[in-house]
Amino acid sequence: MADFPTTARVVIIGGGVVGVSTLYHLAKEGWTDCVLLEKNELTAGSTWHAAGNCPNFAPNWAVMNMQRYSLEMYRGLADEVDYPMNYHVTGALRLGHTKERAMEFEKVAGQARAMGLQMDMITREEMKDYNPFVETHDLEGILWDPLDGDIDPAQLTQALAKGARDLGANIQRFCPATGVSRDGDEWIVHTEKGDIRCEKVVNAAGYYAARVGEWFKPFGGRDVPLTVMSHQYFLTEEIDEIKQWTQENGRKTPMIRDVDSSYYLRQDKNGLNLGPYEFNCKAHWTTKEDAMPHDFSFQLYPDDLDRLEWYIEDAMERVPLLGTGGVGRNINGPIPYAPDGLPMIGPMPGVKNAFEAHSFTFGIVQGGGAGKVMAEWLIHGETSNDMWAVDPRRYTAHADFDYNLQKSLETYGHEYGMHFPHKEWPAGRDKKLSRNDAAVRANGGVMGAYNGWERANWFAKEGDDTSIESTETWDRAGPWEPRIKAEVEAVRDGVGVLDLPGFSRFILKGEGAAEALRSTITGALPKTGRMNLAYFADTKGRLLTEMSVGRLGEDEFQLITAAPAQWHDFEVLRDRLPDGLELADVTDEYSTLILTGPKSRELLAGLTDGDLSLGWLTIQDATVAGEQARLIRVSFAGELGWEIHAPMGSIKAIYDAVLAAGATPFGMYALNSMRIEKGYRAWKGDLSSDYTVLESGMGRFVRFDKSQDFVGKAAIAAEHQQGRKKAFVTMTVEAGEQDAPYMAPVYANGEVVGEVTSAAYGYRCDRAIALGMVRIDAAVAGTQLEIDVFGKRMAAVVQEDQPLWDPENARIRA
């Protein structure tokens, strides 16, 4: 045991591809005093039975960026670490049966081009040149990705392990971790070979991550939201035609993904590998009767071929050669699924100096990028790209056992499902309900989930189609469109009310609270009785988050942020504020109504004893409909209005009174339209750490002259002196049938100069609008641009740096 390490900077629990990649990337950055623990041999979990597919394609920007990094890295890894690997860059063909699927391909291809990747739509005839064995007669769209392929998972992991060891990192195989404890600021990781003291711990335990997560619950942790799914793929014996084609062409046939039938089919040696994602999928280890074993290393579940029958028959019609190959073997192994199917990479919620890198459904292709991201979190405390999409803190208290199971089954069964802009997936719903939920639904509220909170997206009238099938379109038009327009007009001309449960809400108080806040935000604090927006930067001057700060007293503040930001933003405050202050999360104790429109003062006057002459951005405590409430003079809709904040027990009486007084209920879609007309940014859409505070147009919220050395001050000052490279803009867009999708590329003279961050139709302005980030030379008002909207280049014009609706803010200040 003389070589067993007793101290380390980082201990990684789990020896799959992600854990080993994290170790490798730490070592590359000079953090060689790190240890990886694996209870069996490396790759003993999901890695060993993974198919090893390596696509660039991902509908999510952050995940595509991570996969792009992986594939670039893999193409040179064998030479870099001097370890041979079987990595085949075959290219891949995605098959679309419908117009909607072809549009999805166009959307992702545009996103790829914005990232510097080339994906192209090809014809049925061209497809035969790539793979002559595929039937194409019924296809509506085919996407070609030349950089797709497959890699041997074990060889990849061993190559990363060799690279890590060569750099001085330590890998302990056959050394199970058995628990953790704390000693001051240090973690102690317990193993069967002894204890290791370390600064930071990473849970990279794959489908055992929930069990490892239990160890951290005494230190602030939570139940890890993952479910273990059964994933099968089916291998044929050798097929003569495949072997002959490979010999004649000197390469493997390209991968096929028949996403509407929900399977991939690729060459494996000289046979075929069929991997379905079955609609009738199965979870494992979810009951006491089917408990997770202590060790499932290098083991599989029994074959369950009945679930595959339809997929095999469908694939044989698509590629008749499949039916000529005898059955080689079937692989049925465990694979971890987070509720949304994306991995968890980042800080462990509630636990300092503990991190997570698990729940990878596509761990091989994401392993390289995940290791890089995890190393950045560990070394720098921030990542080079915004990685909110995979941040473990995106799940809060709504992610209970039932939610995790139902969403994982839904996500696996729709692995290739299209995420249409108006579609709300039905599983795992009604986890957090407003006290007004029944009234909202009785008025026709068509609900959506926001961090588990149910809110009305729009209000249907009798006869409107509210089926999930009606939402399966990329088009703006649908039964919701005339209702959204009417809701916006009701707010524009009269008064509307939006029931808005779930605002993330924190109370900060204690001697020195004001000075502590000044030392972490980029700008100034409001005076007592007022509120303003506050921005938090990272060390590079990028925009980490935005909160509204209401000053209740000299050293007492209410901080409000987006619903999904609850755990993320609480930890931003927790980690940046000094000890001795009182910081409380009171999100679940209060709710909010947005009451807004030119007649809102008139309506509210009959219900409150508050002073409605107080100006914009003021705060006051008052009674509304006989209930205690807090009135904040602000409106995300850009009209005269108030946010009414009240305890959960009071919000129903206030809502009922507001409706009885004549307010029109409106939903989130209408609010989104109106905020985009005002150029207001949305959290982790328009506001993200992919952009600096100055690029985001928030320079007016930066106080360079204040004495406090807030995080990012030096970087923002340097950028201010040198000039921004990009700028946030509002663009009017040629109004086609669809709104510009998130991260659609923006072109100037045929060159990509930026991307869309959000878009909607503005019903007050009667124009299609996109918000986005573009190169500084393209950010000049009047500049003619083009936006790739599902494969069509739509004309766009940069607008003045002011709201399109009510540019002087006369209405909101009325």
Side-chain angles (χ1 to χ4, degrees), residues 516-526 531-537 543-550 557-562 569 572-573 576 617 683 687 693 698 700-703 706 710:
L517 270 182
R518 287 191 195 96
S519 299
T520 189
I521 66 173
T522 63
L525 292 175
M531 63 82 64
N532 65 9
L533 291 176
Y535 291 89
F536 296 74
L543 204 155
L544 181 61
T545 196
E546 169 198 75
M547 301 185 205
S548 68
V549 178
F557 299 87
Q558 172 181 269
L559 299 104
I560 295 177
T561 183
D569 280 8
V572 169
L573 291 168
R576 292 193 173 188
L617 304 181
W683 191 82
L687 300 173
V693 173
M698 298 304 169
R700 66 188 183 279
F701 295 99
V702 178
R703 289 282 298 273
K706 69 177 182 176
F710 58 86

Side-chain angles (χ1 to χ4, degrees), residues 482-524:
R483 306 303 173 218
I484 298 170
K485 183 174 185 290
E487 291 168 26
V488 169
E489 290 170 348
V491 171
R492 180 194 66 191
D493 301 332
V495 55
V497 62
L498 172 62
D499 184 53
L500 195 71
F503 259 146
S504 300
R505 189 185 313 260
F506 317 121
I507 298 296
L508 173 68
K509 59 185 177 180
E511 185 177 352
E515 179 62 20
L517 270 182
R518 287 191 195 96
S519 299
T520 189
I521 66 173
T522 63

Side-chain angles (χ1 to χ4, degrees), residues 263-373:
Y263 60 77
Y264 66 80
L265 183 67
R266 71 166 170 86
Q267 184 173 339
D268 187 274
K269 299 179 181 176
N270 287 317
L272 292 172
N273 174 340
L274 173 67
Y277 289 89
E278 319 96 282
F279 300 122
N280 57 333
C281 53
K282 185 176 182 179
H284 273 282
W285 303 334
T286 60
T287 65
K288 291 181 179 178
E289 294 72 28
D290 181 27
M292 176 182 281
H294 175 69
D295 189 353
F296 201 68
S297 300
F298 296 112
Q299 296 182 59
L300 297 171
Y301 302 131
D303 291 350
D304 195 356
L305 294 175
D306 288 347
R307 296 211 322 263
L308 303 188
E309 184 176 352
W310 182 90
Y311 301 92
I312 293 172
E313 291 175 356
D314 189 84
M316 286 193 296
E317 292 182 15
R318 181 65 59 196
V319 181
L321 271 184
L322 178 64
T324 69
V327 177
R329 64 183 299 214
N330 188 67
I331 305 293
N332 184 10
I335 184 171
Y337 257 71
D340 61 4
L342 300 181
M344 292 182 224
I345 316 171
M348 183 182 294
V351 187
K352 286 189 175 184
N353 291 328
F355 297 81
E356 297 185 325
H358 58 71
S359 300
F360 287 81
T361 61
F362 298 95
I364 303 306
V365 66
Q366 293 166 5
K372 172 180 176 286
V373 170

Side-chain angles (χ1 to χ4, degrees), residues 706-768:
K706 69 177 182 176
S707 60
Q708 293 83 9
D709 188 22
F710 58 86
V711 177
K713 186 175 184 179
I716 297 173
E719 183 185 14
H720 180 67
Q721 184 177 24
Q722 296 164 10
R724 297 176 295 171
K725 295 181 180 178
K726 295 184 285 188
F728 190 88
V729 295
T730 297
M731 298 168 281
T732 55
V733 189
E734 180 185 348
E737 295 179 345
Q738 302 87 29
D739 292 317
Y742 176 63
M743 287 296 169
V746 178
Y747 291 86
N749 301 315
E751 180 185 3
V752 174
V753 295
E755 60 273 349
V756 170
T757 55
S758 59
Y761 198 86
Y763 294 98
R764 293 176 297 192
C765 299
D766 195 24
R767 285 187 279 185

Side-chain angles (χ1 to χ4, degrees), residues 85-156:
M85 289 191 299
N86 290 319
Y87 180 28
H88 309 104
V89 181
T90 62
L93 300 152
R94 280 183 185 257
L95 315 183
H97 299 191
T98 65
K99 178 193 77 171
E100 289 75 21
R101 184 65 77 176
M103 291 173 68
E104 183 204 38
F105 292 168
E106 292 278 16
K107 170 180 172 285
V108 176
Q111 178 180 292
R113 285 190 282 273
M115 198 175 281
L117 294 169
Q118 191 64 33
M119 294 184 187
D120 296 299
M121 300 296 289
I122 63 172
T123 66
R124 298 177 193 169
E125 293 72 26
E126 288 172 326
M127 180 168 169
K128 289 293 186 181
D129 295 332
Y130 291 103
N131 191 325
F133 304 117
V134 185
E135 295 295 323
T136 63
H137 60 282
D138 59 344
L139 299 179
E140 289 289 329
I142 305 165
L143 179 67
W144 168 244
D145 176 3
L147 294 177
D148 205 323
D150 60 87
I151 197 167
D152 184 295
Q155 290 177 342
L156 170 62

Side-chain angles (χ1 to χ4, degrees), residues 213-230:
E214 292 287 325
W215 303 342
F216 293 89
K217 289 172 72 174
F219 309 103
R222 86 300 185 210
D223 291 325
V224 175
L226 74 81
T227 301
V228 180
M229 300 296 297
S230 156

